[in-house]
Amino acid sequence: ATELNPYDSESWSNLGNAYFASGLNSQAVTVLEKSIQLDGNNASAHCTMSACLRQPGTMSDSIESARRALRLNSHLVQAHCNLGNSLIGVGDISGAIAAFEQALYLAPNCLEARQSHTFALQYSDRHSAQDILVSAQKLGSIFPYVAPKSTTAPLKTVAFLSGDYLTHPVAFFLDPLLR
């Protein structure tokens, strides 16, 4: 598409999305820069650029790209998620929680927003274990557990097996609840 119409910002943005989805961030950044050069008001390109830049050394650029995307289109749920995740990266937990809450306001069943919100609450000194539990329950309500029909005995033991349990997300979510 970019060869057929090299001046179409959306085509370059779509190519950037494809590169990003394939883990080719440097290529994604290059074509997203082209997309933004062609149309600085392409909110989708700024949103994807934010995700590409979410790494040490470029976190502030990621935040700025997410904010630019949201100035152009405040209904971009992914831009709110990108902003929240980038704010966590710079230690702004309150700002991250607010970004995830805005994403959840726009899309209450957005898995990324719900998971990230629950995770961010772990680092907040303004939220209790009860707040974390409520958020986790909302996450669970999006994807309820359905017991296999072949179960004949009640579940008596729950075990989490992980080689990295101390850094595993389950440890972060459960630790305050078990204290």
Side-chain angles (χ1 to χ4, degrees):
T2 58
E3 289 180 16
L4 292 174
N5 188 355
Y7 301 104
D8 180 33
S9 173
E10 199 59 39
S11 294
W12 288 101
S13 180
N14 290 339
L15 182 57
N17 285 332
Y19 279 138
F20 176 70
S22 299
L24 303 170
N25 282 13
S26 62
Q27 292 92 329
V29 168
T30 300
V31 298
L32 289 166
E33 286 172 343
K34 175 73 173 175
S35 173
I36 292 167
Q37 178 186 7
L38 292 169
D39 179 5
N41 293 323
N42 187 330
S44 177
H46 288 290
C47 180
T48 305
M49 181 68 85
S50 172
C52 290
L53 296 173
R54 198 173 58 228
Q55 54 192 331
T58 57
M59 204 67 75
S60 62
D61 294 330
S62 174
I63 292 167
E64 181 53 38
S65 290
R67 288 185 172 148
R68 193 172 304 127
L70 290 168
R71 281 193 300 272
L72 295 167
N73 182 349
S74 63
H75 297 289
L76 275 177
V77 173
Q78 189 59 53
H80 288 286
C81 290
N82 291 349
L83 177 60
N85 286 318
S86 296
L87 289 171
I88 285 175
V90 298
D92 183 356
I93 303 304
S94 295
I97 290 170
F100 297 133
E101 287 174 351
Q102 185 60 35
L104 290 167
Y105 173 78
L106 295 169
N109 291 332
C110 176
L111 177 61
E112 180 181 354
R114 180 60 63 197
Q115 287 176 322
S116 297
H117 179 260
T118 303
F119 184 74
L121 290 176
Q122 296 288 315
Y123 295 98
S124 173
D125 56 2
R126 298 180 186 172
H127 294 84
S128 67
Q130 182 64 32
D131 295 330
I132 297 164
L133 177 61
V134 168
S135 184
Q137 287 171 329
K138 288 178 182 177
L139 175 61
S141 72
I142 297 171
F143 302 98
Y145 172 76
V146 178
K149 292 183 181 178
S150 64
T151 302
T152 58
L155 183 64
K156 294 181 181 178
T157 304
V158 175
F160 293 100
L161 301 176
S162 173
D164 65 341
Y165 185 71
L166 294 176
T167 60
H168 195 280
V170 171
F172 290 103
F173 290 134
L174 289 179
D175 184 57
L177 301 174
L178 297 175
R179 289 180 189 215

